[in-house]
Amino acid sequence: MNEKVKCLIIGSGPAGFTAAIYASRANLEPVLYEGIQPGGQLTTTTEVENFPGYPNGSTGTEMMEDLRNQAKRFGTDIRYGIASAVDFTATPYKVTIDEKTEIEAETIIIATGATAKYLGLPDETKYSGMGVSACATCDGFFYRKKVVAVVGGGDTACEEAIYLANLASKVYLIVRKDFLRASKIMQDRVLENEKIEVLFEHETLGLFGENGVEGAHLVKRKGESDETKVDIKIDGFFLAIGHKPNTDIFKPQLQLDDNGYVITFDGSARTNIPGVFAAGDVADPVYRQAITAAGSGCKAAIDAERYLSEKGA
Ligand code: NDP
């Protein structure tokens, strides 16, 4: 017989754990599946300086451990496992975990987050684990005193470039436009850092190297009359060009926007399916912050609790 739960939470970032804290305290006895990356994207970031209540900052890993312990303290049943399929056609909704265990849930909170994007170059696959990475915090250690490149011009790219500059001897920041999209404070930190060289208006054509990345083929001002091909010698190539929401298993049952983000309604965590709620980066193409994810996790749990009380459950 399938296990039946009142509230199933999929995902373990700030949204999932905050939903778990609220749902546990509301007696929804939530079961939370941690997914592919327990702790979510924050565990791949370094310093978290902007989460209110941490005047001296915290690390992403520490913050997620605190959130996890807080959810456990109120009785959340936290489990390892990946949701591999869902059936939202009838209540209770069915979620398959790891392609074998089926759980029936009266409410579901989707907090599956987003995943780093790649450029789509064959060389990214060729050199995967041999110099190509989408996580400076995970892999930066291997590039101490070496030369690396980071692709992207947003906050993530700047953050990763600064982090890597503390380890590497030199960091190229490859930016396709002639400006950085990152916040002013991050731009200033990058531009003032002597170890970081920003290559504006450069795009990556490919990578080269015998037994790992030894360099990148770039093009400057692609398509312009003064287009120039440039090679740089690097040991590591880091992607920081944005994220894709983790919503593949919910298609076509859940209403998604053009970029695959779950659509929620009227400022709530409600989706197009009653009893199914979404929180965090999976439903947020705009803010994507730990604090906004946590806030939306709180909303999702409150919405789930109200949905169940209205149903008289
Ligand atoms: P963004 O979408 O903000 O930036 C992506 C960057 O990658 C842009 O510079 C974009 O270039 C570039 N890019 C995208 N595709 C390509 C491509 N194919 N080739 C080359 N360059 C490409 O993503 P981030 O992950 O940086 O940030 C996401 C959100 O999270 C933002 O709202 C950001 O502010 C926030 N954030 C906040 C942090 C903090 O507060 N501590 C830390 C990290 C992120 P272009 O500009 O040309 O489009």
Side-chain angles (χ1 to χ4, degrees):
M1 215 177 70
N2 292 338
E3 183 182 4
K4 290 198 169 107
V5 301
K6 271 198 254 187
C7 178
L8 183 71
I9 300 170
I10 313 174
S12 58
F17 280 136
T18 305
I21 293 164
Y22 275 77
S24 298
R25 296 183 83 252
N27 269 344
L28 301 191
E29 297 160 5
V31 170
L32 180 149
Y33 278 93
E34 292 201 293
I36 295 169
Q37 191 176 47
Q41 292 175 76
L42 217 56
T43 55
T44 67
T45 195
T46 41
E47 284 279 307
V48 181
E49 295 177 330
N50 49 12
F51 201 96
Y54 291 81
N56 301 316
S58 176
T59 68
T61 314
E62 272 168 9
M63 185 177 280
M64 292 321 302
E65 201 49 39
D66 285 349
L67 279 168
R68 191 176 195 279
N69 287 334
Q70 198 172 348
K72 269 176 95 170
R73 178 181 153 210
F74 295 113
T76 305
D77 183 348
I78 301 171
R79 303 176 185 176
Y80 291 109
I82 295 162
S84 47
V86 295
D87 179 358
F88 294 159
T89 51
T91 51
Y93 302 122
K94 294 187 184 64
V95 176
T96 311
I97 306 293
D98 294 333
E99 288 167 18
K100 50 180 196 287
T101 314
E102 199 166 86
I103 305 229
E104 294 186 355
E106 288 175 61
T107 61
I108 295 175
I109 296 175
I110 295 169
T112 47
T115 303
K117 279 188 197 164
Y118 284 75
L119 294 169
L121 299 171
D123 285 343
E124 288 169 321
T125 318
K126 181 176 167 189
Y127 293 102
S128 172
M130 295 163 67
V132 173
S133 169
C135 177
T137 330
C138 317
D139 301 323
F141 184 75
F142 303 114
Y143 298 93
R144 279 175 305 165
K145 299 196 168 59
K146 296 193 171 172
V147 181
V148 297
V150 177
V151 186
D155 278 317
T156 304
C158 290
E159 198 177 78
E160 306 241 312
I162 293 162
Y163 176 75
L164 288 165
N166 284 328
L167 296 162
S169 58
K170 181 178 176 81
V171 179
Y172 291 104
L173 185 59
I174 304 170
V175 182
R176 66 179 173 184
K177 295 212 172 113
D178 63 355
F179 62 89
L180 292 168
R181 179 202 282 241
S183 53
K184 181 80 173 67
I185 185 167
M186 294 305 278
Q187 290 190 29
D188 290 346
R189 285 184 195 171
V190 160
L191 297 171
E192 283 162 13
N193 192 312
E194 286 179 355
K195 279 196 185 169
I196 302 174
E197 181 178 341
V198 185
L199 301 175
F200 286 109
E201 297 183 89
H202 281 70
E203 289 178 47
T204 311
L205 298 174
L207 302 169
F208 59 87
E210 286 287 315
N211 298 311
V213 171
E214 290 174 13
H217 301 297
L218 309 180
V219 56
K220 186 178 180 188
R221 291 178 56 78
K222 190 177 174 191
E224 302 297 325
S225 54
D226 57 350
E227 174 182 308
T228 329
K229 298 252 169 68
V230 188
D231 281 359
I232 53 169
K233 290 191 79 178
I234 51 169
D235 304 291
F237 184 75
F238 289 83
L239 284 312
I241 60 167
H243 293 82
K244 175 185 175 294
N246 297 320
T247 50
D248 286 351
I249 62 163
F250 308 114
K251 291 175 199 163
Q253 306 182 58
L254 218 53
Q255 214 172 315
L256 308 177
D257 74 8
D258 292 345
N259 295 315
Y261 288 88
V262 179
I263 297 176
T264 52
F265 294 92
D266 307 325
S268 73
R270 280 183 282 117
T271 68
N272 61 307
I273 297 177
V276 177
F277 306 93
D281 286 13
V282 75
D284 178 8
V286 181
Y287 301 104
R288 293 180 286 194
Q289 301 298 298
I291 184 65
T292 50
S296 67
C298 158
K299 289 195 322 193
I302 292 176
D303 287 345
E305 197 269 322
R306 289 187 183 156
Y307 167 85
L308 287 172
S309 349
E310 277 163 24
K311 269 184 67 179

